[in-house]
Amino acid sequence: DLMRFLEPRCIRAHLDTARKETLFALIAKDFENIVPEARRGEIRKALWEREALQNTSVGDGIAMPHATLTNVRRSYLGIYVTAKPIDYQAPDNQPVDVCFVTLGPPSDRQVHLLLLAAVSNLALNTDLVERLRDALKSGDVLESVEEALKKLGSSAENPKQ
């Protein structure tokens, strides 16, 4: 269940930032506040190490940054939406304004892949991404995710909807 991993204190809407560095610093600060065993510097370093391996932009203005930390006990999901698309240094040169951020231990690789699949499913099969871009506060983001999950659940059970 996606909601089990989604951390409300790591949800930001309509962020006024123009730089990837600023965004990653904010993500690291937020996650440090909810993951007692993780330090801000470690989180930021892990995000950049992942970016160095492969840019986490997946196209359509969406990125899926990930931090792997050995001392973290479980996986977390955060959602960060910028007010204006930022230069993400993506291979396709497309700017990014929606980030689904995961943080977890290396032992949770399967959980990480399931989270990515669940997020991708929502992004492709609901209006979630458009709603996230319209969201003005984190409560709107959370509500949008919950509604998209319900919509997907009902259409999965009842394909005619």
Side-chain angles (χ1 to χ4, degrees):
D1 178 24
L2 191 70
M3 296 306 289
R4 193 163 57 97
F5 297 96
L6 189 56
E7 177 49 60
R9 291 169 292 174
C10 293
I11 293 175
R12 301 268 188 154
H14 207 72
L15 276 172
D16 186 19
T17 184
R19 300 181 57 229
K20 189 175 182 177
E21 292 79 5
T22 312
L23 178 63
F24 278 15
L26 177 65
I27 291 168
K29 178 178 173 262
D30 285 353
F31 274 103
E32 178 187 50
N33 289 331
I34 59 137
V35 184
E37 57 275 18
R39 292 284 138 259
R40 189 179 311 189
E42 294 175 301
I43 298 167
R44 198 168 51 234
K45 182 177 179 235
L47 287 167
W48 284 109
E49 283 173 353
R50 179 66 186 82
E51 282 305 302
L53 289 173
Q54 181 183 4
N55 189 290
T56 57
S57 167
V58 295
D60 295 325
I62 301 168
M64 296 182 169
H66 177 66
T68 302
L69 295 170
T70 51
N71 58 333
V72 175
R73 291 190 194 99
R74 69 176 190 88
S75 291
Y76 299 85
L77 172 68
I79 300 173
Y80 291 76
V81 186
T82 58
K84 293 185 180 121
I86 61 170
D87 177 9
Y88 203 79
Q89 296 103 41
D92 62 1
N93 290 318
Q94 292 302 305
V96 163
D97 60 353
V98 177
C99 290
F100 295 97
V101 184
T102 51
L103 179 144
S107 59
D108 260 9
R109 175 136 176 82
Q110 193 60 37
V111 171
H112 175 238
L113 295 175
L114 289 171
L115 282 172
L116 292 181
V119 165
S120 298
N121 191 18
L122 285 174
L124 292 170
N125 297 306
T126 71
D127 62 351
L128 177 64
V129 174
E130 293 77 17
R131 294 198 48 194
L132 295 180
R133 288 181 173 132
D134 292 340
L136 295 177
K137 52 190 196 304
S138 58
D140 299 338
V141 170
L142 199 53
E143 189 178 295
S144 297
V145 172
E146 288 168 344
E147 287 179 16
L149 283 166
K150 277 187 203 143
K151 212 176 276 182
L152 209 55
S154 67
S155 68
E157 295 159 26
N158 222 335
K160 291 185 180 97
Q161 283 186 334

